[in-house]
Amino acid sequence: MGHRLADASTPARLAAPDEGIGRDELALATRNHGLPLEALRYDVTPPGLHYLLTHYDIPYVPDGTPWPLTVGGRVRRALQLDLAELRARPQVTTRVTMECAGNGRALLAPRPVSQPWLVEAVGTAEWTGVPLRLLLAEAGVQPEAVDVVFTGADHGVERGVEQDYQRSLPVEVAMGTEPEVLVAYAMNGAPLLPQHGHPLRLIVPGWYGMAQVKWLREITVTDAPFTGFQQAVAYRLRQDSADEGRPVTRIEPRALLIPPGFPDFMSRSRVLRPGPVTLEGRAWSGRAPLARAEVSTDAGRTWHEAELEPDGGRRWAWRRWHLEWTATPGEHVLSARATDAEGHTQPLEQHWNRGGFTNNLVQRVPVLCLEPGDTD
Amino acid sequence: MGHRLADASTPARLAAPDEGIGRDELALATRNHGLPLEALRYDVTPPGLHYLLTHYDIPYVPDGTPWPLTVGGRVRRALQLDLAELRARPQVTTRVTMECAGNGRALLAPRPVSQPWLVEAVGTAEWTGVPLRLLLAEAGVQPEAVDVVFTGADHGVERGVEQDYQRSLPVEVAMGTEPEVLVAYAMNGAPLLPQHGHPLRLIVPGWYGMAQVKWLREITVTDAPFTGFQQAVAYRLRQDSADEGRPVTRIEPRALLIPPGFPDFMSRSRVLRPGPVTLEGRAWSGRAPLARAEVSTDAGRTWHEAELEPDGGRRWAWRRWHLEWTATPGEHVLSARATDAEGHTQPLEQHWNRGGFTNNLVQRVPVLCLEPGDTD
């Protein structure tokens, strides 16, 4: 007998057909949260409305705690930089739409049991920091470098593996400019909030959230591919557990509606009165610049191209779109669909994988349009 | 046939035994959120970590939107005040621990189907605003006054009733000083965030969240008891639907632990290594000043009094407590329990009601303490 670390975790599993959300999934859903979809109105998401996923605990780092960031491994000259030294280096601010790789998971059938997102795991912020490529150039990356590994301060156990959260990027991505990766110390012009990585985090524009290592402490250049848990076990697109899978990387295209009308408290279904309605929302893609947003008011049978606002030079941020519609009494299912310049778009039928990642199935927003004059 | 408002809502119901959390409850859980319990470390909850429950949509109120607050009804002189006029009046700042009346609902059996909180629907903030009693005195409350009704700008439908969110207080509570009710325009020294009621909200220290009307637009003194939906239908303690019930008012005592050790990602169960551990957390009561916090490390069989920090003159804020413990290998269930000066405390067996309100059942925190030397 004995009490071992492996006892703390249960194996990955799929929910049975019609199995409701369990206590474990609920415990994640009550502490993490998505963007309330009416907040798609804001160009930059207000504090506290940006989606949030924390694997373990949010580390407690009171202001003034020393936070030496190390840059080491296969470099000519290892660095150790404190926050003042980072802030003294060249600074870049980038507006970034970030999305959880597990967004849409709870809509899959069968449902992989993990954080149960519907469609709301997204947000947009302006991140300020030092370009990672400048830090790596300063340290001098050796020619045999393959990956750059990022280690956070958040500590936990996952499927029996005790770990600090760690992810890597291929060295050419880490040193690239499309996107330009940041070591960020500010969000929307203020120091990072505790839950967003205070005091330092990685920002990889266009990539899903798992790459954006929070509470960043160490940057390590390696001469072999990184095989840590979050890289080689989690965040891979697999059809079954024997499948080696492909890594999750850049954000698939998605469009979301600002839900029109007003909601029912419990069902969250939407109520409208008949007449003209501006259907509007946001669309984004991390894979290529956005090309098109379309809207359907008949559950995806027919589509109408929406007016897409220009990106204003902000390649990595969502874009607003809108389309005029006249609501008629009855039940309608509204949808929006994004397509990028490389032709990536959103499916009407689910693309399933065992981890429940990158599910950008077209959103369905049921609305009830009342008869004229129905006031109660 | 026809499409009527009543079609938007489904009746209140209880979950069947072993029925998992449904899509409707999940839709609420992904947009509202609790306090991640490790954030109990902060005296004042950082932005975005305070619990949040929005009945309908968060109203979109860009800075600079005119926001005339009216004070009317049974008063000698109706008032209309803009934000600058409110800020020019006497200002009070109060630290308040706020909790949702539905906190603990998802732990009840049978489970009332609504926002499925476990224990985390709480947070503490410093609210700044004008004492309501000064505004009411300025308007001159008539002798026949009974209730004061507060109307927010959030609009939706609930059990077939279309409404702006409205709640009332008895006139003697509205004009009282224990607690002193505020019309608040700042949270933690900054303008209110959109989701916390920007630009104005009510703060009723010691009362559950349903009383703290957000996006406050109108204050109306009435000469008859207010019978709006949120007062007479929702937020009542009933045993069955025929029961008239008692109103939900002040916050019952509760203590919560900062979960010790580190978590498993999926189960959220806690892992510790053997040896000394400081068990710590927060405790509060809206009913009377706090008298005692106790800790159990054996699933509630035996209790030990924890050291409770002084309240520092902050009657309406939670208080920190701690107790030293030596963890031994094995599984343990940790609990904490608050008792106030009037003897109100927390039950070990559930006190059920149909709405799932005021469930302050003692928290259970299962921990796994590893064998010495277990590092993987």
Side-chain angles (χ1 to χ4, degrees):
Chain A
M1 133 108 203
H3 299 278
R4 320 264 331 153
L5 193 55
D7 302 339
S9 307
T10 50
R13 72 178 192 93
L14 305 177
D18 302 320
E19 178 183 333
I21 297 289
R23 176 73 60 86
D24 49 357
E25 293 166 291
L26 179 61
L28 285 166
T30 57
R31 56 180 271 120
N32 297 310
H33 68 90
L35 177 86
L37 294 184
E38 66 272 26
L40 289 165
R41 288 185 193 281
Y42 299 92
D43 293 330
V44 172
T45 307
L49 296 181
H50 194 291
Y51 99 88
L52 184 67
L53 179 79
T54 309
H55 274 247
Y56 312 123
D57 284 353
I58 299 168
Y60 182 65
V61 186
D63 284 336
T65 304
W67 197 268
L69 174 73
T70 61
V71 183
R74 295 291 173 167
V75 294
R76 281 191 295 278
R77 184 171 57 115
L79 307 177
Q80 181 168 302
L81 301 167
D82 65 21
L83 293 173
E85 290 168 319
L86 285 169
R87 283 198 204 95
R89 281 170 168 68
Q91 177 183 102
V92 167
T93 295
T94 309
R95 188 179 296 183
V96 176
T97 294
M98 195 185 295
E99 185 174 359
C100 184
N103 201 11
R105 178 183 288 123
L107 295 170
L108 291 172
R111 181 182 80 245
V113 172
S114 184
Q115 169 75 38
W117 298 120
L118 297 167
V119 299
E120 61 292 300
V122 66
T124 295
E126 300 215 311
W127 302 98
T128 301
V130 192
L132 176 63
R133 62 188 174 83
L134 300 185
L135 297 179
L136 291 173
E138 189 174 337
V141 171
Q142 304 276 21
E144 66 273 22
V146 172
D147 276 350
V148 183
V149 180
F150 306 91
T151 304
D154 41 335
H155 184 86
V157 55
E158 205 159 338
R159 305 220 213 129
V161 182
E162 186 175 347
Q163 57 193 286
D164 289 342
Y165 188 87
Q166 287 190 307
R167 283 277 307 182
S168 68
L169 291 173
V171 70
E172 63 276 11
V173 174
M175 301 195 70
T177 56
E178 287 290 322
E180 182 171 64
V181 180
L182 300 181
V183 173
Y185 44 74
M187 181 185 189
N188 304 334
L192 301 183
L193 293 167
Q195 67 271 35
H196 290 295
H198 180 77
L200 276 187
R201 72 175 299 172
L202 202 67
I203 292 293
V204 190
W207 286 53
Y208 283 110
M210 78 279 145
Q212 328 272 340
V213 177
K214 298 191 283 275
W215 311 291
L216 180 66
R217 295 194 311 182
E218 287 179 27
I219 298 174
T220 310
V221 179
T222 64
D223 60 3
F226 176 62
T227 59
F229 180 87
Q230 304 293 348
Q231 201 79 25
V233 179
Y235 294 113
R236 297 186 77 88
L237 300 169
R238 307 176 201 268
Q239 287 305 304
D240 57 60
S241 56
D243 183 359
E244 187 196 349
R246 291 180 296 114
V248 176
T249 58
R250 288 190 180 222
I251 297 174
E252 297 288 334
R254 190 191 296 272
L256 291 176
L257 278 145
I258 298 169
F262 56 84
D264 177 69
F265 169 70
M266 191 62 225
S267 67
R268 307 315 293 174
S269 67
R270 308 295 303 191
V271 180
L272 284 174
R273 294 209 155 77
V277 184
T278 301
L279 299 179
E280 54 184 327
R282 302 279 175 172
W284 61 92
S285 170
R287 298 191 67 178
L290 206 62
R292 192 161 65 248
E294 296 163 287
V295 173
S296 171
T297 58
D298 57 6
R301 281 189 291 280
T302 62
W303 291 89
H304 309 276
E305 187 152 348
E307 180 142 352
L308 187 61
E309 291 189 4
D311 80 353
R314 297 193 172 100
R315 159 68 187 96
W316 306 108
W318 57 25
R319 287 165 68 182
R320 184 190 286 269
W321 53 261
H322 65 94
L323 182 78
E324 299 306 316
W325 177 53
T326 301
T328 54
E331 294 176 4
H332 306 275
V333 175
L334 309 180
S335 292
R337 179 169 68 183
T339 303
D340 72 22
E342 292 177 358
H344 309 296
T345 187
Q346 296 184 247
L348 287 163
E349 304 282 337
Q350 71 173 20
H351 292 181
W352 190 89
N353 63 83
R354 193 181 160 80
F357 298 119
T358 74
N359 176 21
N360 66 337
L361 186 71
V362 161
Q363 180 195 21
R364 292 170 58 90
V365 181
V367 301
L368 171 67
C369 178
L370 303 177
E371 301 295 333
D374 184 0
T375 55
D376 197 336
Chain B
M1 132 109 202
H3 300 278
R4 319 263 332 153
L5 193 56
D7 303 338
S9 307
T10 50
R13 72 180 192 90
L14 304 176
D18 302 321
E19 178 184 332
I21 297 290
R23 176 72 62 85
D24 49 356
E25 292 165 291
L26 179 61
L28 285 167
T30 57
R31 55 179 273 122
N32 297 311
H33 67 90
L35 177 86
L37 294 184
E38 66 272 26
L40 288 165
R41 288 186 192 281
Y42 299 93
D43 292 331
V44 173
T45 306
L49 295 182
H50 194 290
Y51 99 87
L52 185 66
L53 179 78
T54 309
H55 274 247
Y56 312 123
D57 285 352
I58 300 169
Y60 181 65
V61 186
D63 283 336
T65 303
W67 197 270
L69 175 72
T70 60
V71 183
R74 295 292 174 168
V75 295
R76 281 192 293 280
R77 185 172 55 117
L79 307 177
Q80 180 168 302
L81 300 168
D82 64 22
L83 294 173
E85 290 168 320
L86 286 168
R87 283 197 205 95
R89 281 170 168 69
Q91 178 182 101
V92 167
T93 295
T94 309
R95 188 179 294 184
V96 176
T97 293
M98 194 185 296
E99 185 175 0
C100 185
N103 202 12
R105 177 184 289 123
L107 296 170
L108 291 171
R111 180 181 81 246
V113 171
S114 185
Q115 169 73 38
W117 297 121
L118 297 168
V119 298
E120 61 292 300
V122 67
T124 296
E126 300 215 309
W127 302 97
T128 300
V130 192
L132 175 64
R133 62 188 176 83
L134 300 186
L135 297 179
L136 291 174
E138 189 175 335
V141 170
Q142 305 274 23
E144 67 272 24
V146 173
D147 275 351
V148 183
V149 181
F150 305 92
T151 304
D154 41 334
H155 185 86
V157 54
E158 205 159 339
R159 305 219 211 129
V161 181
E162 187 175 346
Q163 58 192 285
D164 289 342
Y165 188 88
Q166 287 189 307
R167 284 278 307 182
S168 67
L169 291 173
V171 70
E172 63 277 11
V173 175
M175 301 195 71
T177 56
E178 285 292 321
E180 181 171 63
V181 181
L182 300 182
V183 173
Y185 45 74
M187 179 185 190
N188 303 334
L192 301 183
L193 292 168
Q195 66 271 35
H196 290 295
H198 180 75
L200 276 187
R201 73 175 299 172
L202 202 68
I203 291 293
V204 190
W207 286 53
Y208 283 110
M210 78 281 146
Q212 328 271 341
V213 177
K214 299 191 283 276
W215 311 291
L216 180 65
R217 295 195 311 183
E218 287 179 28
I219 298 174
T220 309
V221 179
T222 64
D223 60 3
F226 177 62
T227 58
F229 180 89
Q230 303 295 345
Q231 200 78 25
V233 180
Y235 295 113
R236 296 187 78 88
L237 301 169
R238 308 176 199 269
Q239 286 304 306
D240 56 59
S241 56
D243 183 359
E244 186 194 352
R246 291 181 295 114
V248 176
T249 58
R250 288 190 180 223
I251 298 173
E252 297 288 335
R254 190 191 294 274
L256 291 176
L257 278 145
I258 299 169
F262 56 85
D264 177 69
F265 169 69
M266 190 62 226
S267 67
R268 306 314 294 175
S269 67
R270 309 294 303 190
V271 180
L272 285 174
R273 294 209 155 74
V277 184
T278 300
L279 299 178
E280 53 183 328
R282 302 278 175 173
W284 61 93
S285 171
R287 298 192 66 179
L290 206 62
R292 190 161 68 247
E294 297 163 287
V295 173
S296 170
T297 58
D298 57 6
R301 280 188 292 277
T302 62
W303 292 88
H304 309 277
E305 187 152 349
E307 180 143 352
L308 187 61
E309 292 189 3
D311 81 352
R314 297 193 172 100
R315 158 69 187 95
W316 306 108
W318 57 26
R319 287 166 67 182
R320 184 189 287 268
W321 54 261
H322 65 92
L323 182 78
E324 299 305 315
W325 177 53
T326 301
T328 54
E331 294 175 4
H332 307 275
V333 175
L334 309 180
S335 293
R337 180 169 67 182
T339 302
D340 71 22
E342 293 177 359
H344 308 296
T345 187
Q346 298 184 246
L348 288 162
E349 304 282 337
Q350 71 173 20
H351 293 181
W352 190 88
N353 63 82
R354 191 180 161 81
F357 298 119
T358 73
N359 176 20
N360 66 338
L361 185 70
V362 161
Q363 179 194 24
R364 293 171 57 88
V365 181
V367 301
L368 170 68
C369 180
L370 303 177
E371 302 295 333
D374 183 359
T375 57
D376 201 336

